[in-house]
Amino acid sequence: MKVFPTSLRIETSAVCQLRCPLCPFSNHRVSEKKALLNFSDFQRLLDQNPQIEQIEVAGRGEPFLNKELARMIRYAFDKGGMTSVTGGTNLNDASDETLETLVRCGTLKLRCSIDGITQETYQKYRVGGRLQQV
């Protein structure tokens, strides 16, 4: 029996620029070079699985650190797939291009982790983060 999933969750970045004390992955960071999904692998995955309709592009890392994220979202959209970022993001390094792509490509959901309304409170939980940037 073959299985043809219509949705998937894919790790586009297994790195994070913050050191959040409540994050279970905070002490297990890997080098950026080996931890970012490249566009050609993403493209090949979608091309080999045309039945994919929904794609979660987040996991344990910060998806916006992947410089090819906008290109991936655009490619998925062009192939008829809808994306979401519900695994959480700190949004500290989201480029204008990627944010615009999220909107233009109808991203279904975006979950942002903001743990305070002042920089002082925010940085206790998002160590190294900049609330003003978010």
Side-chain angles (χ1 to χ4, degrees), residues 52-72:
I52 297 294
E53 299 170 351
Q54 292 190 0
I55 305 147
E56 165 69 30
V57 294
R60 61 185 184 161
E62 174 54 38
F64 290 98
L65 291 177
N66 190 322
K67 303 299 183 206
E68 295 187 294
L69 184 63
R71 190 173 174 201
M72 291 176 197

Side-chain angles (χ1 to χ4, degrees), residues 94-128:
S95 71
D96 290 343
E97 175 198 5
T98 304
L99 293 173
E100 185 172 330
T101 300
L102 288 174
V103 174
R104 290 191 183 275
C105 293
T107 297
L108 298 170
K109 295 178 187 176
L110 173 66
R111 180 183 298 162
C112 181
S113 302
I114 302 175
D115 303 299
I117 59 171
T118 66
Q119 178 62 29
E120 181 182 13
T121 303
Y122 177 79
Q123 69 189 9
K124 288 180 184 178
Y125 300 99
R126 302 290 160 196
V127 178

Side-chain angles (χ1 to χ4, degrees), residues 15-68:
V15 295
C16 186
Q17 75 282 42
L18 304 185
R19 296 291 182 255
C20 306
L22 300 177
C23 178
F25 307 108
S26 196
N27 295 323
H28 306 290
R29 300 294 179 218
V30 292
S31 74
E32 187 170 330
K33 212 170 207 174
K34 297 179 182 177
L36 298 174
L37 177 66
N38 64 51
F39 176 77
S40 62
D41 288 340
F42 180 82
Q43 181 181 32
R44 184 171 46 253
L45 175 67
L46 292 188
D47 289 349
Q48 291 174 356
N49 296 279
Q51 77 283 357
I52 297 294
E53 299 170 351
Q54 292 190 0
I55 305 147
E56 165 69 30
V57 294
R60 61 185 184 161
E62 174 54 38
F64 290 98
L65 291 177
N66 190 322
K67 303 299 183 206
E68 295 187 294

